[in-house]
Structures are given as structure tokens and as C-alpha cells.
Amino acid sequence: MPRPLRLQPPPQRVPRRRCAPPANARTEEQFDTTSAEERSAAAAAPAAAERKLGSTVASLGDPTDPGFWLETPLVSSVTKGRVVYPVNGKSAQVELRPIEGPASGGSRISLPAMRLIGAPLTDLPTLTVYAGGATG
């Protein structure tokens, strides 16, 4: 007999100070509401030790959800981390957010993070994911 599906509430998200894009946003620049300072901080090298979680194929997440984040089955709770795009070596510090699925399942990445690492928005890039390493 199949097991009943157990629905879980969405994960708690860390409150954000960032503003959402305007309702009439149409271009990636209009949807990306991060500041130059936020982009610089996200591109900075990690200041602490980090642990490799693995690789994931990522698609573009909700472009109206501001900030630098990756929704991934590689974590079980919200944590700081970093993603690396091996094609060019660029990385971004992100908030890792848990989603349901096997560790081999896909992930969703924020528009600002995808732009920062230089991955084409219409591609499904394979990213290397690390936990920890956040700057102070």
C-alpha cells in the first residue's frame, strides 16, 4: 500500500531588507534589485572554512524574489554558502534554502546570483555548492 503524501510547510526564510522588483519589471536589470555593494559582498572570497556539498543542476528561480540564494535539496536548513560556476570559475555567496527532493535533484538559483556567476539565464548550469564560508 502506498504511503500517504505528507505535506510540510515551506521552510522558514531569513527576513530580507532588499526590495522586490517593480510590478512592471520586464528586463533582467529591472528584476535585479541588488546594489553594487551587495554584488561586491556576494562576489567576495569566503572568510571562513567551507564544506563542499556537491554539484547540482540549477535553473533560474523566481526572479521576483530578491537577493542571492539557491534553493537546493543539498541542505536541510537555511544556511550560508557559496556556488561556483566551473565553466568560468566565478562564484557567489548565497543563502542556501532547503527544498524537497533527492540530493541528485535540481536546484533553483536567484537572478542576481546567476548574473554574478556569469551563467546564461536560459541554461541549466551545473554548479558546485559549498556550505559555510560567509564573510563577516
Side-chain angles (χ1 to χ4, degrees):
M1 181 156 111
R3 295 187 328 187
L5 179 63
R6 292 177 45 193
L7 298 177
Q8 297 180 355
Q12 293 286 341
R13 293 200 174 163
V14 176
R16 282 180 259 317
R17 298 180 310 268
R18 296 172 196 91
C19 62
N24 63 346
R26 297 292 177 262
T27 68
E28 62 186 81
E29 287 80 14
Q30 292 169 332
F31 276 104
D32 186 350
T33 60
T34 57
S35 67
E37 182 178 272
E38 288 172 314
R39 288 188 295 275
S40 178
E50 56 185 13
R51 178 175 47 95
K52 184 176 179 179
L53 299 177
S55 294
T56 187
V57 174
S59 63
L60 179 61
D62 180 355
T64 65
D65 190 353
F68 295 90
W69 49 263
L70 178 74
E71 296 174 329
T72 181
L74 295 175
V75 296
S76 58
S77 62
V78 175
T79 189
K80 297 289 184 188
R82 185 170 67 98
V83 294
V84 177
Y85 184 38
V87 169
N88 61 16
K90 291 184 178 182
S91 69
Q93 293 188 43
V94 296
E95 176 183 86
L96 299 174
R97 301 174 180 174
I99 57 173
E100 290 292 319
S104 61
S107 300
R108 296 179 293 267
I109 188 169
S110 71
L111 174 68
M114 201 155 183
R115 290 182 72 194
L116 186 65
I117 63 174
L121 299 180
T122 57
D123 280 2
L124 297 172
T126 298
L127 306 175
T128 306
V129 182
Y130 297 87
T135 58

